[in-house]
Structure formats: C-alpha cells, structure tokens
Amino acid sequence: MSKLSLDRILQSQGFGTRKYCRALIEDGDVSVNGAVEDNYKATFDTGDLVLTVFDEEWRYREHLYLALHKPANFECSRKPSHHPGVLTLLPEQFSWREVQPVGRLDHDTTGLLLMSDDGPFIHAQSSPKRHVPKVYQASTAEPVTEALVAQLLAGVQLHDEPAPLKALSCMQRGEHLLEIVLEQGKYHQVKRMLAAAGNHCSALHRSQIGGLALEALGLAEGEWCFLEKDQLDLLVP
Ligand code: URA
C-alpha cells in the first residue's frame, strides 16, 4: 500500500489535471472515507480508499479493468476515422487514465471487448504467445456445410501467414451460423478464414474470452462494467 497526497490520488484516478484536482479539493468538493478534506497535501494510504467527488463515490483503483459490450459501428483504433471510437462509450474520466482496448474488434464486430489502463496487462493479453481461446458467432452469406466446418478445423492458409490457421473448435449453430473458437488473434482472422474456406462472414459477434462470457456479465450493447479479480482470473489460459 502506498501513501500519496490527495491531489496526486485524484489525478491518478482520472479526475483531471493536478491543478484542477487541487482546486476541487480546496473548494471542499472532495471527501475521503466520508470526511471532507480541503488540504491537497494531506496524504492517504490508497488501499480501501473511498473518495467522494461532487457527491459521487469513487473507490480508489490502481488500474482499471473493464468489459464493454461493443456495438457495431464503433472503432477500436486510437484515431478513429469513419465511426466514433469505443472510448466515447466510457466516462470521460477513463480517457484521462488512458484506457485502451485490449486487442481489437473490427468496427462492424459486436461483443466482448476488454479495456484497461494497465500497460503490462494489455501487452500480456494481446501477446501472440498467450493462447486464450476466444469464442465467436459468425453469420455466413452462404449456408454452413460439413465441409466448411471440417476445413476450418483442419486449417486454412491465409496469404500472409507461414502456416495454415486452425479453429480450436467449430460448430454449426444454424443454417447460416457458426460458432468458432480461435486461439490466435490475427488481423480479421475469422473473416479471412471464412473467405479462404469459400464463404463470407456477414456479421460477427465475440461472446467469450477464456472463461469470461459476455452473457454472465449481463451487459446490453454499449454498456460496460468493472472486472474484479475473480473475473480477471477467468482470462488466464
Ligand atoms: N476476427 C475478425 O475477422 N474480426 C474481428 O473483429 C475479430 C476476429
């Protein structure tokens, strides 16, 4: 547990610049564990710290780990060009903390997207060495056939990959619907694998990462939630 001055604590939590945070404190807008504190130099242990800023409670979090139910027509890139960025779906406070998507979903893909401001976590989760299975529901333009499923399980060659890529599992869920589980996270992987197998992905949804299922989080499209330790543990391969 570390002791930090209140202005630094507020800034670390994304409430604004140090100058702005000092002004908030001096104006009496900040309480710490229920008591107003107007001295920005006062220091506190950050463990179990509950701040109240403008009457809203905020539990100190060293890092943010979030799950978002990404809707279609939002971009994961830092500089979105054709659609709004996924960050616009989160409170502004999180942008101050430089929250970023963990990996990417295409602008037209919906479903579970992790977001965090913890660099090593983002890096570890996005590493190609980390084999966390990801579950997708892919709608197909042409009917799903046994041959398509067999091909995706056996492996399909993408033009810029040294070896064929295989689905970890692949099941027909409807005439035009596949559930496909992938371990790798290559660029447009589901869409490119389907195209290489002679079909076309017309819509894509990610329902699960590791043991963390979107359904269990109960998020409607566009909603987000904090992930706690037991949920993060489900992401370990
Ligand atoms: N595969 C794709 O093709 N697109 C995604 O958004 C995710 C996986």
Side-chain angles (χ1 to χ4, degrees):
M1 221 183 302
S2 52
K3 258 191 153 193
L4 290 176
S5 61
L6 188 53
D7 58 345
R8 276 183 191 274
I9 291 174
L10 245 63
Q11 189 186 15
S12 75
Q13 299 303 287
F15 286 99
T17 61
R18 184 88 64 85
K19 192 171 165 199
Y20 177 73
C21 292
R22 286 181 179 179
L24 284 181
I25 297 163
E26 288 184 328
D27 288 350
D29 292 323
V30 180
S31 302
V32 181
N33 298 333
V36 173
E37 177 56 77
D38 62 6
N39 175 8
Y40 67 77
K41 290 184 184 158
T43 59
F44 296 91
D45 281 332
T46 51
D48 294 332
L49 193 68
V50 180
L51 303 166
T52 312
V53 180
F54 292 130
D55 296 328
E56 261 196 55
E57 269 198 7
W58 174 259
R59 175 158 74 74
Y60 177 90
R61 291 174 188 265
E62 187 177 354
H63 286 296
L64 294 175
Y65 304 97
L66 313 172
L68 171 72
H69 185 164
K70 180 191 171 298
N73 299 322
F74 281 85
E75 289 183 26
C76 288
S77 76
R78 270 172 179 269
K79 290 190 182 147
S81 45
H82 298 297
H83 303 278
V86 286
L87 281 171
T88 60
L89 296 165
L90 303 179
E92 201 193 341
Q93 186 184 352
F94 297 172
S95 313
W96 280 96
R97 294 184 63 158
E98 300 191 8
V99 166
Q100 299 171 38
V102 179
R104 288 190 179 185
L105 289 177
D106 299 333
H107 82 273
D108 52 355
T109 302
T110 59
L112 180 57
L113 181 68
L114 306 179
M115 303 189 74
S116 180
D117 62 349
D118 179 352
F121 171 81
I122 296 172
H123 185 72
Q125 284 295 323
S126 329
S127 161
K129 290 187 193 133
R130 197 178 179 97
H131 299 292
V132 182
K134 299 186 178 83
V135 184
Y136 296 90
Q137 282 71 40
S139 302
T140 60
E142 306 302 328
V144 173
T145 59
E146 276 181 26
L148 174 71
V149 172
Q151 217 179 332
L152 293 168
L153 286 170
V156 289
Q157 184 65 54
L158 304 184
H159 76 274
D160 54 351
E161 289 296 327
L165 295 177
K166 294 180 190 179
L168 203 61
S169 122
C170 183
M171 274 180 279
Q172 178 162 9
R173 293 290 193 207
E175 201 187 338
H176 286 261
L177 188 63
L178 268 182
E179 183 170 284
I180 181 164
V181 183
L182 297 181
E183 254 187 354
Q184 317 88 346
K186 311 272 182 191
Y187 182 65
H188 294 327
Q189 189 173 341
V190 175
K191 292 176 186 167
R192 290 195 301 149
M193 284 176 73
L194 275 166
N199 207 314
H200 171 77
C201 179
S202 53
L204 188 60
H205 177 81
R206 182 159 71 189
S207 59
Q208 190 162 335
I209 301 176
L212 185 68
L214 183 58
E215 202 176 3
L217 298 172
L219 298 174
E221 277 197 11
E223 285 183 348
W224 63 273
C225 67
F226 292 110
L227 293 175
E228 305 299 344
K229 170 136 187 8
D230 52 337
Q231 294 162 318
L232 294 173
D233 287 345
L234 297 172
L235 300 171
V236 175

